[in-house]
Amino acid sequence: MLDRLQRRLGLQTIPAVFFTSAGTAFLFVVLAIPFQHEVSRSFGLLTAWVAGNLGWFYILSVSALLVFLLGLAVSRYGEIRLGADDSRPDYSNLTWFTMLFAAGIGTILMFWGVAEPISHFGDPPFDGVVADSAGAARDAMTISLYHFGLHTWTIFAMPGLAIGYFAYRHDLPMRISSLFYPILGERAFGPLGWAVDIIAVLGTLLGVATSLGLGTLQLSSGLTYLFGIPATGTIWVLLIVLISGIAATSVALGLDKGVRRLSQLNILLAMLLLGFVLVAGPTVFIAKGMVQSIGDYLDALPWLSFWTESFNGTDWQRRWTLFYWAWTISWAPYVGIFIARISRGRTIREFVFGVLFAPTAFTLIWFGVFGLSAIHVEMSGQIGLAEQVRADPSVAIFAFLQALPWTELASLLSVIIIVIFFTTSSDSASLVIDMLTRREDQPSLVRQRIFWAAAQGVIAATLLLAGGLDALQNVITSLGLPFCVLLVFMAVSLFRALRADYRGYTVNDLVKGRAFPEVEASPSSRQESTYVSEAADRN
């Protein structure tokens, strides 16, 4: 039946994955619109249960995956390439980094670069720390860097590395289900594999919709500051339509013409805004505070990585750390596939160090400039930022820019950067979802990519109208859990495959139990995969 429907609509998909994902998203929207309060309350209860009973699993999983990735990078497997042994990277390091930044964390930095440090400065999470004190400032910066540093990029790097390895070295389809071939065997190309891809599609839709919703709130605040336009549901919907329309145009142009050019433009604009704040703000204070903040972050990283708020009796982690981890995990399939697409030819060591440390270094600089500047504004009494951010985090960057010269120009530049960041996130996600829902031998149809871009906008509007920021946080914290489990199994599958590869065997040999003879083969005797055409036929 689904095959006939696909032919009638003129689509090129895996029917079970495409129609199940689209149908589930449609059902969510249909139920959420008339039953907004009931849906919001249900997800609130589910989030409370997940945080109370399984929050520790989020914390432990992400920290363990960070250790796992670093271990791979420095191990004997670090020299294995994402591709043939003689392959080389498709993109230069600079281009690679700009695309990583724009598609991964750029949207997050614009929203939380001021909002998070100033929130923790005015409302410290640790007992005995006085608000607006030097201790509160140090903790605020440390926690912000923890949330957006190595751990965030671990969540993106894990699926990116696994996808790049299996796709380019073993020619498996670039889908999440392919990563489980060493565990599931042939079942990875049937209903079990389809279920994995459906989870990835839905997670990506909701994760990017959450980002789009946060961006809409922030843009609405910017328009209020610049032009006095009130923040209403109608304005939110119009902004989502605008961003989705731009994203649809970009996604129709493809990766190189659309995402690549927008990414390069946006990194230049972001650097311009960063340089302006550094020069116009308290430059010496920023430099001194940045050095100290990096030291504080590295010093606190070991215990923060395993801190579960066991003895506090509060729900702070649910509102902050667990939300961030679940949010990042939910859109990790899309970011992972996107990173994999631009990382062919790199060694595992280059990939891990590049994806973990280059964006983290930029994050340290970004929070150092914006976060420390905002704290300085609050401490000097120029503007009551903490009070405004406590009421509405989306106003943070625009309220902060009022303390600097050329406020209107800087705010307008911020609005442009936000629009482009969220556009690149949306169109990158649309490209990836299209890949997850079709076979590799099928063409990528523009109308399918546009459909997914529109779906993200509709879900974002639904979540915003159903409860705003609280609804976005509750839905993501609840639904990020299934893919968190998949991330753990993904690491197991990748390690099994790397062991077989290093000993000179294919993943197909691993599945059939031929990969680990008593006498280890020489690494130079690695074979080309022989199961590729069979896998393509099955898909």
Side-chain angles (χ1 to χ4, degrees), residues 179-313:
L179 311 186
F180 297 92
Y181 183 79
I183 296 176
L184 298 177
E186 303 298 320
R187 292 173 296 175
F189 305 112
L192 276 178
W194 297 341
V196 170
D197 288 331
I198 289 168
I199 292 173
V201 170
L202 294 176
T204 299
L205 279 174
L206 288 167
V208 176
T210 298
S211 296
L212 186 57
L214 291 174
T216 299
L217 293 174
Q218 194 175 34
L219 284 173
S220 180
S221 297
L223 294 177
T224 300
Y225 269 91
L226 286 171
F227 307 112
I229 299 175
T232 63
T234 301
I235 296 298
W236 293 347
V237 172
L238 290 176
L239 287 172
I240 289 174
V241 170
L242 173 63
I243 295 175
S244 299
I246 298 173
T249 302
S250 177
V251 81
L253 295 174
L255 180 63
D256 286 331
K257 292 183 179 179
V259 179
R260 180 181 179 181
R261 292 177 181 176
L262 282 175
S263 299
Q264 291 172 337
L265 170 63
N266 220 31
I267 194 68
L268 292 175
L269 295 179
M271 293 298 291
L272 178 62
L273 181 63
L274 183 74
F276 166 73
V277 175
L278 176 62
V279 173
T283 307
V284 176
F285 178 82
I286 292 172
K288 292 169 61 178
M290 194 181 302
V291 172
Q292 180 170 324
S293 296
I294 292 173
D296 289 339
Y297 167 59
L298 296 176
D299 178 61
L301 186 60
W303 73 265
L304 269 180
S305 298
F306 298 95
W307 177 55
T308 58
E309 206 180 15
S310 301
F311 310 112
N312 293 55

Side-chain angles (χ1 to χ4, degrees), residues 55-335:
W56 62 268
F57 180 71
Y58 276 119
I59 303 296
L60 178 61
S61 298
V62 177
S63 296
L65 289 173
L66 172 58
V67 175
F68 171 74
L69 288 174
L70 292 175
L72 282 185
V74 299
S75 73
R76 60 187 181 180
Y77 307 121
E79 292 299 322
I80 296 177
R81 289 193 177 273
L82 306 184
D85 288 337
D86 60 351
S87 61
R88 292 297 180 267
D90 292 339
Y91 298 99
S92 68
N93 289 336
L94 180 59
T95 300
W96 185 51
F97 172 65
T98 59
M99 296 174 79
L100 284 175
F101 178 75
I105 203 171
T107 54
I108 304 174
L109 295 185
M110 285 300 296
F111 191 94
W112 295 109
V114 171
E116 170 143 14
I118 208 67
S119 294
H120 303 326
F121 180 61
D123 187 15
F126 301 128
D127 293 336
V129 179
V130 179
D132 301 334
S133 66
R138 291 182 60 179
D139 288 344
M141 291 301 300
T142 299
I143 294 170
S144 299
L145 296 180
Y146 164 58
H147 282 157
F148 297 107
L150 292 173
H151 281 72
T152 285
W153 283 95
T154 292
I155 297 170
F156 292 151
M158 184 66 249
L161 176 61
I163 292 164
Y165 172 78
F166 285 111
Y168 296 133
R169 192 159 184 89
H170 297 288
D171 296 315
L172 282 171
M174 193 171 279
R175 295 201 300 273
I176 301 299
S177 56
S178 297
L179 311 186
F180 297 92
Y181 183 79
I183 296 176
L184 298 177
E186 303 298 320
R187 292 173 296 175
F189 305 112
L192 276 178
W194 297 341
V196 170
D197 288 331
I198 289 168
I199 292 173
V201 170
L202 294 176
T204 299
L205 279 174
L206 288 167
V208 176
T210 298
S211 296
L212 186 57
L214 291 174
T216 299
L217 293 174
Q218 194 175 34
L219 284 173
S220 180
S221 297
L223 294 177
T224 300
Y225 269 91
L226 286 171
F227 307 112
I229 299 175
T232 63
T234 301
I235 296 298
W236 293 347
V237 172
L238 290 176
L239 287 172
I240 289 174
V241 170
L242 173 63
I243 295 175
S244 299
I246 298 173
T249 302
S250 177
V251 81
L253 295 174
L255 180 63
D256 286 331
K257 292 183 179 179
V259 179
R260 180 181 179 181
R261 292 177 181 176
L262 282 175
S263 299
Q264 291 172 337
L265 170 63
N266 220 31
I267 194 68
L268 292 175
L269 295 179
M271 293 298 291
L272 178 62
L273 181 63
L274 183 74
F276 166 73
V277 175
L278 176 62
V279 173
T283 307
V284 176
F285 178 82
I286 292 172
K288 292 169 61 178
M290 194 181 302
V291 172
Q292 180 170 324
S293 296
I294 292 173
D296 289 339
Y297 167 59
L298 296 176
D299 178 61
L301 186 60
W303 73 265
L304 269 180
S305 298
F306 298 95
W307 177 55
T308 58
E309 206 180 15
S310 301
F311 310 112
N312 293 55
T314 65
D315 67 341
W316 184 90
Q317 278 197 323
R318 179 187 69 81
R319 293 181 289 110
W320 292 98
T321 307
L322 297 185
F323 164 62
Y324 285 144
W325 284 186
W327 179 24
T328 310
I329 287 169
S330 69
W331 62 332
Y334 122 70
V335 178

